[in-house]
């Protein structure tokens, strides 16, 4: 079964990654290097185990567009540039893994807690694990 592991961040986190002070932390170049090395190792282990299907990080929320409403003649009713005041957290990246069980996918996601970085970032970090529907007979809705 395939599972999607979703990691979250905020525009403030992306600002911190670039070394800009955010009020409670800024990533140092060493913090950033350690995080990148961790993510590369984390992903390489999944690739070596044969469990990795795909992974991507996403660019900062300021580069997001939200399309909402119905379309009329192919034109969206509302297009809003990010970031969005309604929420602080946004999808920062994901892994799609194929493994034996939900428990194994959860174990993989728990490994993300070892990612180095500023204490303020680690204190609010989390990941979601969701089964991927592979057709109409997919996971229970």
């Amino acid at each position: 079964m395939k599972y999607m592991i979703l990691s979250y961040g905020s525009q403030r986190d992306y600002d911190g990654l670039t070394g800009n002070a955010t009020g409670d932390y800024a990533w140092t170049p060493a913090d950033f290097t350690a995080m990148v090395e961790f993510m590369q190792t984390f992903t390489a282990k999944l690739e070596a185990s044969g469990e990795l299907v795909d992974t991507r990080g996403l660019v900062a929320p300021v580069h997001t567009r939200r399309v909402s409403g119905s379309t009329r003649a192919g034109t969206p009713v509302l297009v809003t540039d990010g970031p969005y005041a309604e929420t602080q957290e946004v999808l920062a990246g994901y892994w799609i893994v194929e493994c034996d069980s939900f428990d194994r996918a959860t174990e993989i996601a728990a490994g993300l807690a070892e990612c180095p970085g500023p204490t303020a970032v680690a204190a609010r970090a989390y990941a979601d694990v969701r089964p991927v529907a592979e057709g109409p007979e997919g996971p229970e809705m």
Side-chain angles (χ1 to χ4, degrees):
M1 175 112 198
K2 289 183 180 140
Y3 299 88
M4 181 176 260
I5 300 169
L6 306 138
S7 65
Y8 295 88
S10 68
Q11 183 61 49
R12 187 169 88 179
D13 293 327
Y14 282 89
D15 291 343
L17 281 170
T18 63
N20 296 324
T22 62
D24 60 349
Y25 69 92
W27 288 67
T28 66
D31 289 334
F32 184 77
T33 298
M35 186 267 302
V36 168
E37 288 173 357
F38 172 87
M39 291 297 182
Q40 289 173 334
T41 300
F42 182 84
T43 300
K45 287 178 184 176
L46 290 173
E47 193 169 35
S49 72
E51 295 171 305
L52 182 66
V53 175
D54 190 27
T55 185
R56 296 281 188 257
L58 302 176
V59 299
V62 296
H63 304 292
T64 302
R65 283 199 179 138
R66 178 171 290 164
V67 179
S68 58
S70 61
T71 60
R72 294 188 183 101
T75 304
V77 173
L78 180 63
V79 176
T80 308
D81 288 330
Y84 309 105
E86 301 88 38
T87 183
Q88 290 295 315
E89 297 166 340
V90 295
L91 185 63
Y94 68 89
W95 292 260
I96 297 178
V97 297
E98 188 163 8
C99 53
D100 294 332
S101 67
F102 208 165
D103 287 342
R104 173 61 184 141
T106 302
E107 180 184 335
I108 292 168
L112 290 169
E114 300 301 318
C115 186
T119 304
V121 175
R124 62 177 181 268
Y126 67 93
D128 291 337
V129 180
R130 294 182 62 183
V132 174
E134 300 213 35
E137 69 287 343
E140 294 178 16
M141 302 294 172

